[in-house]
């Protein structure tokens, strides 16, 4: 049961975003991130806000999952907010003179925009990639996008094979850890009480067998792969070749429109100019 | 009163989730003191869950586990003491070996119990001899031993805690017939000499028939049969209906009855069959 | 019928560390495996059967002797990596630990792995993978995650991976040892069907007697040598030699053996409980 955690954030589904070509998705994410950082004024940020709602609608993912994904960011968000609110020197003071601290309207707006950007950055990339793409498709996408680099001796295939095997064995090793922990608990190991040092020490009887077993598995796997005629990436074909569809075209147009929108709003729309 | 008593135990995996699975469903069971009890059931019958409940690795959702008449979860903080009293040898226990030497590895449990050096020495020597770990291996790394030797060292590591109940999950899994017989015979001898209550989980009907005093059969999270091997294996039809097999020799006895040679249906070892047929070799097990 | 594998006087020793002597794992082993046959290699742990498997799939090379695969001498001096690769395209392996031989997270991707290595075009791989999954009865699991399958199912996926490469011979290196009885039956049923219906040559290394009774021929190994070679009936009727080699015989054979010792005139080459009962009944009435 525990092994399920390892499958990361992928949410089963068949939405528009789920069906995009992973290679394109990686490109879209890069463009999207750049666009986020291009935004200069409050209107451009409004467009960013709208884009995240659009992505959410296209992904068919439950809102609760997205909110959950933001939870680890709370600290960073609070931290940036405080820094911006108290240290930003603007033109519109909000507190009466003579107070020990001063807060400016611009500071608050700035903080709001930064928070929006961080939240959109995390949620948007998650929706585009991790929530709607299986790890294996992602690996495939990266491998095929980077394929030209193999010509200048970058070990693209090896890297992607490593990723694939890691993904395959994470659940197995989690299960194994669980088993070994139970076995050592049955011999009186105590993982939950005592000082930090004591607890770290208690992990030795778990880690040693775990590593030994991982090496044994690696050895077995290498033999098995050799027997299945694996000789590296040269001359290898794939069963599933990635295909671009009309969906990728539509999404490309959407993303380009989004970038254009931000640029246009940056130039022509008046309003607070965002600094950072 | 039995050594261990289960009272109306229910255990659910993934509680509240849509895929929740009831691994044990209102199970009540008594394990007699000083016996070897076999626990049979196919994969997913709930027997592995039951094993982990016995020494408090998991806590039942409902019901009580009584050890010597006392609820093991009465003081959850003292659950470690229960684990010393109910020794558990997990499946493929050789994968839990970790220390530099065989000796130190066997001593791991006793040291966790807080035994003095003197006591540890005695406990380890005793356990090693019960499990058949040779003295010349004491200073070797456990990873240099052969498969069968590793298994015995792991067994010694649990016996060294001197548990009053020893639970073994598939102790002979993956071993060849000779090694299988040797380790099971060791367990039986240990039980006879120490008077420990032994609970063995196994898929092998032949082994269960040979080594157990009584047998518990589980299916779909419930106990479906209990009794001596003769009683249980004479109900071959029910066992087969639960996806289990019966020893080949039991099938021969049933077929013999159809052929007009009635040696009884409670046959479960070859020697027993031979004895009933022509008085050869005597009764064993 | 021609021999797909031919071993002549194979010997192999594991070189120990400086302070330990080399361990002679195989001594002068010779046999031939006919195409389309089902051969079980039986022996206790440490008898050399796993070493033999490693020699047959060319992970180890013998110290002495010759090994022919499909008529090609794999021990010849001029043998190149390409020839080894070529031989591996003909002889596949399924290993003991179901977890350690699956490469991909998704069932069909794993089955495709070998074909991808061979450089077969995509559409062709797709067809072969679908066929292979069908043959082992795992079609509906094609898109499932490999780690969620049962042991028996994992082994069937491994078999499908070998089949998709169109190999005519599969070596099973204790592939049933880590499975529960249900999983073992699943795998044995698949093996028997492949041999009978698809004409695949099967070499099944095991220490389970009842699995060996399903083969056409049984080789028994002890201390690095082949000590018996014959049909299951021939081999199991020599119960005393098997016991001496640290092996068991089926319970039926054991009972018949005991009857024979007690002076009854019974055949020893029967494994089926009902046939065994008939034979006993016959022998008893004969004696009366």
């Amino acid at each position: 049961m525990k092994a399920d955690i390892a499958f990361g954030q992928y949410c089963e589904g068949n939405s528009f975003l789920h069906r995009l070509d992973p290679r394109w998705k990686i490109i879209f994410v890069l463009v999207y991130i750049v666009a986020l950082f291009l935004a200069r004024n409050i209107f451009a940020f409004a467009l960013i806000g709208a884009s995240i709602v659009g992505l959410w609608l296209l992904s068919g993912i439950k809102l609760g999952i997205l909110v959950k994904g933001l939870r680890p960011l709370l600290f960073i968000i609070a931290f940036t907010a405080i820094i911006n609110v108290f240290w930003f020197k603007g033109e519109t003071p909000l507190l009466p003179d003579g107070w020990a601290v001063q807060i400016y309207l611009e500071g608050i707006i700035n903080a709001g925009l930064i928070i929006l950007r961080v939240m959109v950055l995390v949620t948007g990339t998650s929706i585009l990639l991790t929530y709607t793409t299986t790890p294996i498709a992602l690996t495939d996408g990266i491998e095929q996008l980077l394929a030209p680099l193999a010509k200048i001796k970058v070990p693209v295939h090896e890297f992607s094979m490593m990723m694939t095997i890691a993904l395959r064995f994470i659940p197995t090793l989690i299960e194994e850890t669980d088993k070994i922990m139970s076995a050592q608990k049955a011999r009186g190991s105590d993982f939950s009480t005592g000082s930090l040092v004591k607890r770290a020490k208690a992990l030795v009887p778990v880690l040693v067998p775990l590593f030994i077993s991982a090496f044994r598995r690696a050895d077995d796997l290498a033999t098995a792969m050799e027997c299945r005629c694996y000789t590296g990436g040269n001359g290898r074909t794939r069963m599933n070749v990635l295909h671009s569809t009309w969906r990728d075209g539509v999404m490309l147009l959407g993303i380009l429109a989004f970038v254009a929108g931000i640029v246009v709003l940056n130039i022509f729309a008046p309003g607070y100019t965002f600094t950072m | 009163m039995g050594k261990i008593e289960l009272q109306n135990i229910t255990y659910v995996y993934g509680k509240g989730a849509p895929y929740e699975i009831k691994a044990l469903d209102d199970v009540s069971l008594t394990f007699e003191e000083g016996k070897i009890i076999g626990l049979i059931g196919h994969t997913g019958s709930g027997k592995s869950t039951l094993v982990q409940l016995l020494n408090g690795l998991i806590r039942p959702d409902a019901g009580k586990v009584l050890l010597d008449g006392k609820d093991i979860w009465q003081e959850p903080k003292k659950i470690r003491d229960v684990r010393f009293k109910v020794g558990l040898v997990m499946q493929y226990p050789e994968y839990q070996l970790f220390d530099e030497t065989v000796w130190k590895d066997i001593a791991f449990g006793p040291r966790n119990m807080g035994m003095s050096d003197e006591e540890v020495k005695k406990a380890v020597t005793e356990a090693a001899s019960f499990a058949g770990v040779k003295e010349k291996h004491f200073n070797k790394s456990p990873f240099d031993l052969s498969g069968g030797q590793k298994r015995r060292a792991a067994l010694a590591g649990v016996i060294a805690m001197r548990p009053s109940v020893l639970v073994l999950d598939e102790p002979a899994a993956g071993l060849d017939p000779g090694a299988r017989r040797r380790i099971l015979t060791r367990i039986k001898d240990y039980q006879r000499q120490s008077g420990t209550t032994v609970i063995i989980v196994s898929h092998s009907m032949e082994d269960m028939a040979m080594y157990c005093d009584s047998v518990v059969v589980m299916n779909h999270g419930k106990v479906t049969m209990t009794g001596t091997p003769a009683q249980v294996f004479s109900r071959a039809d029910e066992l087969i209906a639960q996806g289990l097999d019966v020893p080949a020799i039991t099938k021969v006895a049933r077929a013999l009855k159809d052929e007009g040679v009635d040696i009884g249906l409670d046959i479960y070892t070859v020697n027993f069959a031979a004895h009933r047929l022509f008085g050869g070799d005597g009764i064993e097990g | 019928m021609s021999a797909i594998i031919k071993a002549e006087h194979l010997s192999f020793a594991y070189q120990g560390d400086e302070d330990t002597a080399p361990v002679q794992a195989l001594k002068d082993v010779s046999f031939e495996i006919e195409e389309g046959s089902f051969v079980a290699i039986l022996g206790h742990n440490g008898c050399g059967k796993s070493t033999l498997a490693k020699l047959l799939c060319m992970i180890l090379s013998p110290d002495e002797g010759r090994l022919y695969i499909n008529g090609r001498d794999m021990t010849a001096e001029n043998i190149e990596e390409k020839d080894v690769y070529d031989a591996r395209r003909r002889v596949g392996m399924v290993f003991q630990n179901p977890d350690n031989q699956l490469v991909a997270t998704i069932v069909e991707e794993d089955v495709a792995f070998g074909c991808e290595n061979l450089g077969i075009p995509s559409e062709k791989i797709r067809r072969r993978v679908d066929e292979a999954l069908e043959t082992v009865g795992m079609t509906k699991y094609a898109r499932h995650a490999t780690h969620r399958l049962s042991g028996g199912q994992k082994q069937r996926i491994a078999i499908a991976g070998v089949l998709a490469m169109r190999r005519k011979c599969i070596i099973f290196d204790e592939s049933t040892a880590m499975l529960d009885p249900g999983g073992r039956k699943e795998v044995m049923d698949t093996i028997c069907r492949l041999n009978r219906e698809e004409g695949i040559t099967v070499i099944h290394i095991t220490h389970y007697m009842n699995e060996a009774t399903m083969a056409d021929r049984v080789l028994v190994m002890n201390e690095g040598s082949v000590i018996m070679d014959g049909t299951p009936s021939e081999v199991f009727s020599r119960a005393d030699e098997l016991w001496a080699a640290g092996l068991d015989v089926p319970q039926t054979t054991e009972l018949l053996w005991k009857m024979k010792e007690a002076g009854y005139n019974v055949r020893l080459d029967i494994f089926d409980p009902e046939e065994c009962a008939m034979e006993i009944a016959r022998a008893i009435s004969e004696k009366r």
Side-chain angles (χ1 to χ4, degrees), chain B residues 2 90 98-99 111 117 165 176 207-208 231 242 244-245 259 270 279:
Chain B
M90 311 244 303
F98 72 97
D99 223 324
R111 289 214 187 280
D117 285 354
V165 180
D176 63 49
D207 288 349
M208 288 302 193
Q231 286 166 345
Q242 290 176 32
L244 295 167
D245 213 350
E259 295 292 324
V270 174

PDB file of all heavy atoms in Angstrom, chain B residues 2 90 98-99 111 117 165 176 207-208 231 242 244-245 259 270 279:
ATOM      1  N   GLY B   2      -5.203 -20.288  26.460  1.00  0.00           N
ATOM      2  CA  GLY B   2      -4.103 -20.564  25.548  1.00  0.00           C
ATOM      3  C   GLY B   2      -2.945 -19.624  25.787  1.00  0.00           C
ATOM      4  O   GLY B   2      -3.021 -18.708  26.582  1.00  0.00           O
ATOM      5  N   MET B  90      10.616 -13.385   9.876  1.00  0.00           N
ATOM      6  CA  MET B  90       9.858 -13.035   8.682  1.00  0.00           C
ATOM      7  C   MET B  90      10.270 -13.895   7.489  1.00  0.00           C
ATOM      8  O   MET B  90      11.246 -14.620   7.533  1.00  0.00           O
ATOM      9  CB  MET B  90      10.081 -11.558   8.325  1.00  0.00           C
ATOM     10  CG  MET B  90       9.898 -10.631   9.496  1.00  0.00           C
ATOM     11  SD  MET B  90       8.560  -9.480   9.351  1.00  0.00           S
ATOM     12  CE  MET B  90       8.934  -8.630   7.870  1.00  0.00           C
ATOM     13  N   PHE B  98      22.734  -7.708   9.044  1.00  0.00           N
ATOM     14  CA  PHE B  98      23.366  -6.426   8.733  1.00  0.00           C
ATOM     15  C   PHE B  98      24.717  -6.227   9.393  1.00  0.00           C
ATOM     16  O   PHE B  98      25.502  -5.404   8.955  1.00  0.00           O
ATOM     17  CB  PHE B  98      22.455  -5.274   9.163  1.00  0.00           C
ATOM     18  CG  PHE B  98      22.377  -5.098  10.644  1.00  0.00           C
ATOM     19  CD1 PHE B  98      23.173  -4.169  11.283  1.00  0.00           C
ATOM     20  CD2 PHE B  98      21.529  -5.879  11.399  1.00  0.00           C
ATOM     21  CE1 PHE B  98      23.123  -4.026  12.665  1.00  0.00           C
ATOM     22  CE2 PHE B  98      21.473  -5.745  12.770  1.00  0.00           C
ATOM     23  CZ  PHE B  98      22.267  -4.819  13.410  1.00  0.00           C
ATOM     24  N   ASP B  99      24.978  -6.944  10.507  1.00  0.00           N
ATOM     25  CA  ASP B  99      26.148  -6.556  11.302  1.00  0.00           C
ATOM     26  C   ASP B  99      27.451  -7.109  10.722  1.00  0.00           C
ATOM     27  O   ASP B  99      27.427  -7.897   9.793  1.00  0.00           O
ATOM     28  CB  ASP B  99      25.957  -7.010  12.751  1.00  0.00           C
ATOM     29  CG  ASP B  99      26.392  -5.924  13.712  1.00  0.00           C
ATOM     30  OD1 ASP B  99      27.355  -5.232  13.402  1.00  0.00           O
ATOM     31  OD2 ASP B  99      25.743  -5.774  14.767  1.00  0.00           O
ATOM     32  N   ARG B 111      20.850  -7.644  22.792  1.00  0.00           N
ATOM     33  CA  ARG B 111      21.378  -6.344  23.241  1.00  0.00           C
ATOM     34  C   ARG B 111      20.252  -5.304  23.333  1.00  0.00           C
ATOM     35  O   ARG B 111      20.203  -4.523  24.275  1.00  0.00           O
ATOM     36  CB  ARG B 111      22.457  -5.843  22.301  1.00  0.00           C
ATOM     37  CG  ARG B 111      23.724  -6.637  22.395  1.00  0.00           C
ATOM     38  CD  ARG B 111      24.965  -5.773  22.162  1.00  0.00           C
ATOM     39  NE  ARG B 111      26.141  -6.628  22.091  1.00  0.00           N
ATOM     40  CZ  ARG B 111      26.770  -7.118  23.147  1.00  0.00           C
ATOM     41  NH1 ARG B 111      26.361  -6.800  24.363  1.00  0.00           N
ATOM     42  NH2 ARG B 111      27.811  -7.910  23.003  1.00  0.00           N
ATOM     43  N   ASP B 117      26.409  -8.555  29.253  1.00  0.00           N
ATOM     44  CA  ASP B 117      27.325  -9.230  28.336  1.00  0.00           C
ATOM     45  C   ASP B 117      27.331 -10.740  28.564  1.00  0.00           C
ATOM     46  O   ASP B 117      27.347 -11.524  27.621  1.00  0.00           O
ATOM     47  CB  ASP B 117      28.753  -8.686  28.503  1.00  0.00           C
ATOM     48  CG  ASP B 117      28.874  -7.302  27.867  1.00  0.00           C
ATOM     49  OD1 ASP B 117      27.884  -6.876  27.233  1.00  0.00           O
ATOM     50  OD2 ASP B 117      29.924  -6.661  28.025  1.00  0.00           O
ATOM     51  N   VAL B 165       7.054 -17.395  22.546  1.00  0.00           N
ATOM     52  CA  VAL B 165       6.333 -17.823  21.342  1.00  0.00           C
ATOM     53  C   VAL B 165       7.235 -17.511  20.161  1.00  0.00           C
ATOM     54  O   VAL B 165       7.806 -16.430  20.081  1.00  0.00           O
ATOM     55  CB  VAL B 165       5.003 -17.054  21.159  1.00  0.00           C
ATOM     56  CG1 VAL B 165       4.282 -17.541  19.899  1.00  0.00           C
ATOM     57  CG2 VAL B 165       4.120 -17.181  22.368  1.00  0.00           C
ATOM     58  N   ASP B 176      15.884 -26.035  -0.964  1.00  0.00           N
ATOM     59  CA  ASP B 176      15.681 -27.328  -1.614  1.00  0.00           C
ATOM     60  C   ASP B 176      15.219 -28.348  -0.573  1.00  0.00           C
ATOM     61  O   ASP B 176      15.271 -28.076   0.628  1.00  0.00           O
ATOM     62  CB  ASP B 176      16.948 -27.756  -2.359  1.00  0.00           C
ATOM     63  CG  ASP B 176      18.122 -27.950  -1.426  1.00  0.00           C
ATOM     64  OD1 ASP B 176      17.959 -28.650  -0.403  1.00  0.00           O
ATOM     65  OD2 ASP B 176      19.185 -27.383  -1.700  1.00  0.00           O
ATOM     66  N   ASP B 207       4.779 -30.318   4.411  1.00  0.00           N
ATOM     67  CA  ASP B 207       5.551 -29.899   5.579  1.00  0.00           C
ATOM     68  C   ASP B 207       4.654 -29.763   6.796  1.00  0.00           C
ATOM     69  O   ASP B 207       4.992 -30.193   7.893  1.00  0.00           O
ATOM     70  CB  ASP B 207       6.228 -28.538   5.317  1.00  0.00           C
ATOM     71  CG  ASP B 207       7.370 -28.671   4.335  1.00  0.00           C
ATOM     72  OD1 ASP B 207       7.750 -29.823   4.038  1.00  0.00           O
ATOM     73  OD2 ASP B 207       7.869 -27.640   3.867  1.00  0.00           O
ATOM     74  N   MET B 208       3.500 -29.149   6.611  1.00  0.00           N
ATOM     75  CA  MET B 208       2.574 -28.945   7.715  1.00  0.00           C
ATOM     76  C   MET B 208       2.182 -30.281   8.319  1.00  0.00           C
ATOM     77  O   MET B 208       2.125 -30.448   9.528  1.00  0.00           O
ATOM     78  CB  MET B 208       1.317 -28.231   7.220  1.00  0.00           C
ATOM     79  CG  MET B 208       1.557 -26.792   6.892  1.00  0.00           C
ATOM     80  SD  MET B 208       2.182 -25.990   8.351  1.00  0.00           S
ATOM     81  CE  MET B 208       2.048 -24.323   7.948  1.00  0.00           C
ATOM     82  N   GLN B 231      -7.308 -34.567  11.269  1.00  0.00           N
ATOM     83  CA  GLN B 231      -8.683 -34.047  11.167  1.00  0.00           C
ATOM     84  C   GLN B 231      -8.826 -33.113   9.974  1.00  0.00           C
ATOM     85  O   GLN B 231      -9.795 -33.201   9.215  1.00  0.00           O
ATOM     86  CB  GLN B 231      -9.054 -33.279  12.440  1.00  0.00           C
ATOM     87  CG  GLN B 231      -9.320 -34.185  13.622  1.00  0.00           C
ATOM     88  CD  GLN B 231      -9.354 -33.399  14.935  1.00  0.00           C
ATOM     89  OE1 GLN B 231      -8.926 -32.252  15.006  1.00  0.00           O
ATOM     90  NE2 GLN B 231      -9.869 -34.039  15.972  1.00  0.00           N
ATOM     91  N   GLN B 242     -11.186 -24.279  -1.117  1.00  0.00           N
ATOM     92  CA  GLN B 242     -10.617 -22.993  -0.687  1.00  0.00           C
ATOM     93  C   GLN B 242      -9.329 -22.649  -1.424  1.00  0.00           C
ATOM     94  O   GLN B 242      -8.572 -21.790  -1.002  1.00  0.00           O
ATOM     95  CB  GLN B 242     -10.328 -23.029   0.815  1.00  0.00           C
ATOM     96  CG  GLN B 242     -11.580 -23.045   1.652  1.00  0.00           C
ATOM     97  CD  GLN B 242     -11.254 -23.176   3.123  1.00  0.00           C
ATOM     98  OE1 GLN B 242     -10.238 -22.699   3.598  1.00  0.00           O
ATOM     99  NE2 GLN B 242     -12.141 -23.840   3.846  1.00  0.00           N
ATOM    100  N   LEU B 244      -6.760 -24.562  -1.817  1.00  0.00           N
ATOM    101  CA  LEU B 244      -5.561 -25.168  -1.226  1.00  0.00           C
ATOM    102  C   LEU B 244      -5.401 -26.579  -1.764  1.00  0.00           C
ATOM    103  O   LEU B 244      -6.327 -27.160  -2.313  1.00  0.00           O
ATOM    104  CB  LEU B 244      -5.703 -25.216   0.294  1.00  0.00           C
ATOM    105  CG  LEU B 244      -5.755 -23.855   0.962  1.00  0.00           C
ATOM    106  CD1 LEU B 244      -6.203 -23.991   2.406  1.00  0.00           C
ATOM    107  CD2 LEU B 244      -4.388 -23.205   0.897  1.00  0.00           C
ATOM    108  N   ASP B 245      -4.236 -27.114  -1.576  1.00  0.00           N
ATOM    109  CA  ASP B 245      -3.983 -28.463  -2.026  1.00  0.00           C
ATOM    110  C   ASP B 245      -3.947 -29.359  -0.795  1.00  0.00           C
ATOM    111  O   ASP B 245      -3.873 -28.883   0.325  1.00  0.00           O
ATOM    112  CB  ASP B 245      -2.637 -28.500  -2.744  1.00  0.00           C
ATOM    113  CG  ASP B 245      -2.664 -29.531  -3.864  1.00  0.00           C
ATOM    114  OD1 ASP B 245      -3.645 -30.300  -3.915  1.00  0.00           O
ATOM    115  OD2 ASP B 245      -1.724 -29.559  -4.659  1.00  0.00           O
ATOM    116  N   GLU B 259     -10.967 -47.676  -4.672  1.00  0.00           N
ATOM    117  CA  GLU B 259     -10.515 -48.952  -5.224  1.00  0.00           C
ATOM    118  C   GLU B 259     -10.875 -50.107  -4.295  1.00  0.00           C
ATOM    119  O   GLU B 259     -10.521 -51.251  -4.562  1.00  0.00           O
ATOM    120  CB  GLU B 259      -8.992 -48.947  -5.423  1.00  0.00           C
ATOM    121  CG  GLU B 259      -8.497 -47.953  -6.447  1.00  0.00           C
ATOM    122  CD  GLU B 259      -8.911 -48.310  -7.865  1.00  0.00           C
ATOM    123  OE1 GLU B 259      -8.939 -49.526  -8.176  1.00  0.00           O
ATOM    124  OE2 GLU B 259      -9.230 -47.398  -8.641  1.00  0.00           O
ATOM    125  N   VAL B 270       3.598 -40.294   4.382  1.00  0.00           N
ATOM    126  CA  VAL B 270       3.861 -41.542   3.674  1.00  0.00           C
ATOM    127  C   VAL B 270       4.020 -42.695   4.669  1.00  0.00           C
ATOM    128  O   VAL B 270       3.474 -43.781   4.478  1.00  0.00           O
ATOM    129  CB  VAL B 270       5.117 -41.403   2.795  1.00  0.00           C
ATOM    130  CG1 VAL B 270       5.482 -42.743   2.182  1.00  0.00           C
ATOM    131  CG2 VAL B 270       4.889 -40.370   1.703  1.00  0.00           C
ATOM    132  N   GLY B 279       1.755 -52.260   7.706  1.00  0.00           N
ATOM    133  CA  GLY B 279       2.423 -52.262   9.005  1.00  0.00           C
ATOM    134  C   GLY B 279       3.907 -51.957   8.952  1.00  0.00           C
ATOM    135  O   GLY B 279       4.628 -52.197   9.908  1.00  0.00           O
TER     136      GLY B 279
END
